[in-house]
Amino acid sequence: MACHIQAAPDSPERLLTAAGHGDCRQTVANQTHPRRATHQRSRHFRRGVLVVDLDLEAPGLGNLLLDDERMPRLGVVDFLVEDGLNGIQDADLPEFVGTSALTKGEGGRVDVVPALGRQSMDHPENILPKLARAMIEDVTDQGESVSVGSQISTMIARLAAQAGYDVVLIDSRAGLAELAAPAVLGLGATVLLFGTAQKQTVQGYRALFAALRLLALRDRAAGRDADWRLMLKPVYAKASLDPQVSARYRDEWYDLFAEYLYDAEENAGESDLNFDIDDDSAPHWPLVIPFNQSFVDFDSSRAPDQLLQGFYELTFRPFLDQVDAIIAMSATDNAQSMREPL
């Protein structure tokens, strides 16, 4: 498990979406949020959004947000391979970024770093060997190992610095393998944990939370407050209208947080992290995306009208409002930390 990397105070807010299994409306959310950001003229969305597709073994977000003409020559996989071999100069960074047609003159731009670029699509026979090499740790000239998570964090920081974005939206791969688990904490992002009200969701995340508990214990033993625990937020995707199911799902998330991440009530102090089960501002309280039959065959690349505000906000507006509030709060906290004396 990678150590938590805190993003620089003056860097864009980072929002990472992850799913314990597929088909959790994660991809739809990752398209509707940047689309909505282009409609917003608030102080939190002046410059634009950078979208990074880290679902390297099942890429797709890049193709949904970029047509063939806008697809950059290279992608995340190429960055990981080439940076480990020869390094990547700043002058070459634009080769990894494509500007989406979602970009509108009245709002910020939507730039996308796909998992695979045009070069890989033109030569698909090279994709699997590239992917195998991309997942290998780098070794510095001093013989020190650099994890894949650290490489990706550096990549995002360099790309974000090129244009200056308001938000970096990171799409993590589904599952808990070698890239997904470190990404949860290793990228300094607020993490949205997508899932459905099924047993497999909770059981899948239990392995992740057990690993995070060890990290939290290590932080507390070292005198650190482990505030990264506040950056985790579950998402109840494809939610039903049954209040009993919703309550059960919330309770299951509370049990996970209480068992692995919240501090024990009997030893709670002023700096300890603990919440009541009914506290809707607590990390365990899920954001909700209700089920809507219209999104079963969602494919905005073939049906662009699906990204019209009037269409997607029927289902996603409450969720997007809450995500915007999270981003705004994080931006405010970072601004305050910059003003505080060292």
Side-chain angles (χ1 to χ4, degrees), residues 30 107 124 132 143 163-164 319:
N30 286 332
F319 166 77

Side-chain angles (χ1 to χ4, degrees), residues 156-171:
I156 292 173
R158 292 180 64 190
L159 291 170
Q162 294 296 300
Y165 301 93
D166 300 299
V167 178
V168 178
L169 179 61
I170 305 162
D171 181 29

Side-chain angles (χ1 to χ4, degrees), residues 144-226:
E144 298 177 348
S145 297
V146 182
S147 69
V148 176
S150 294
Q151 295 172 53
I152 291 175
S153 185
T154 299
M155 176 195 73
I156 292 173
R158 292 180 64 190
L159 291 170
Q162 294 296 300
Y165 301 93
D166 300 299
V167 178
V168 178
L169 179 61
I170 305 162
D171 181 29
S172 177
R173 60 173 297 189
L176 301 173
E178 66 279 0
L179 178 58
V184 167
L185 287 185
L187 298 181
T190 298
V191 180
L192 301 183
L193 302 168
F194 280 68
T196 55
Q198 297 170 298
K199 186 176 181 180
Q200 62 191 26
T201 295
V202 176
Q203 291 302 317
Y205 280 122
R206 185 173 297 278
L208 173 63
F209 272 52
L212 295 180
R213 179 176 182 272
L214 298 178
L215 184 58
L217 290 174
R218 186 176 69 184
D219 282 349
R220 297 307 300 271
R224 297 187 293 266
D225 54 18

Side-chain angles (χ1 to χ4, degrees), residues 7-256:
D10 58 345
S11 65
E13 302 307 314
R14 296 182 181 184
L15 185 71
L16 183 143
T17 62
H21 54 88
D23 192 27
C24 290
R25 294 293 180 265
Q26 177 186 0
T27 299
V28 182
N30 286 332
Q31 293 175 75
T32 56
H33 187 265
R35 177 59 175 142
R36 193 193 203 206
T38 63
H39 289 125
Q40 301 219 3
R41 300 185 181 184
S42 71
R43 60 191 178 93
H44 301 296
F45 296 104
R46 290 178 176 173
R47 295 169 293 180
V49 179
L50 178 66
V51 183
V52 183
D53 187 0
L54 290 189
D55 198 349
L56 303 188
E57 294 188 359
L61 188 59
N63 288 325
L64 291 170
L65 291 175
L66 298 169
D67 55 34
D68 292 343
E69 294 181 356
R70 294 174 178 268
M71 183 69 64
R73 188 172 69 89
L74 303 172
V76 173
V77 171
D78 300 288
F79 188 101
L80 295 175
V81 172
E82 296 301 324
D83 195 46
L85 293 175
N86 305 308
I88 295 173
Q89 302 301 313
D90 285 348
D92 297 324
L93 292 178
E95 295 277 4
F96 297 87
V97 181
T99 298
S100 172
L102 294 181
T103 299
K104 300 295 182 182
E106 70 275 9
R109 61 191 292 162
V110 177
D111 285 344
V112 183
V113 184
L116 301 171
R118 189 175 62 252
Q119 181 174 275
S120 294
M121 296 303 178
D122 291 342
H123 300 280
E125 68 277 7
N126 296 330
I127 292 177
L128 291 183
K130 273 188 182 181
L131 183 59
R133 292 171 64 184
M135 301 307 297
I136 298 175
E137 292 186 344
D138 283 349
V139 179
T140 66
D141 294 338
Q142 292 74 36
E144 298 177 348
S145 297
V146 182
S147 69
V148 176
S150 294
Q151 295 172 53
I152 291 175
S153 185
T154 299
M155 176 195 73
I156 292 173
R158 292 180 64 190
L159 291 170
Q162 294 296 300
Y165 301 93
D166 300 299
V167 178
V168 178
L169 179 61
I170 305 162
D171 181 29
S172 177
R173 60 173 297 189
L176 301 173
E178 66 279 0
L179 178 58
V184 167
L185 287 185
L187 298 181
T190 298
V191 180
L192 301 183
L193 302 168
F194 280 68
T196 55
Q198 297 170 298
K199 186 176 181 180
Q200 62 191 26
T201 295
V202 176
Q203 291 302 317
Y205 280 122
R206 185 173 297 278
L208 173 63
F209 272 52
L212 295 180
R213 179 176 182 272
L214 298 178
L215 184 58
L217 290 174
R218 186 176 69 184
D219 282 349
R220 297 307 300 271
R224 297 187 293 266
D225 54 18
D227 275 352
W228 52 262
R229 292 174 292 174
L230 294 169
M231 300 174 72
L232 304 173
K233 191 72 172 175
V235 177
Y236 178 15
K238 298 193 294 186
S240 73
L241 298 177
D242 188 336
Q244 292 184 336
V245 176
S246 297
R248 184 190 70 204
Y249 191 65
R250 178 209 60 198
D251 292 350
E252 288 174 338
W253 273 105
Y254 175 80
D255 290 342
L256 275 181

Side-chain angles (χ1 to χ4, degrees), residues 230 232-233 262 275-286 322 329:
L230 294 169
L232 304 173
K233 191 72 172 175
Y262 289 164
F275 294 89
D276 185 81
I277 190 172
D278 295 318
D279 187 346
D280 60 6
S281 67
H284 70 266
W285 194 278
Q322 290 173 306
M329 182 179 299

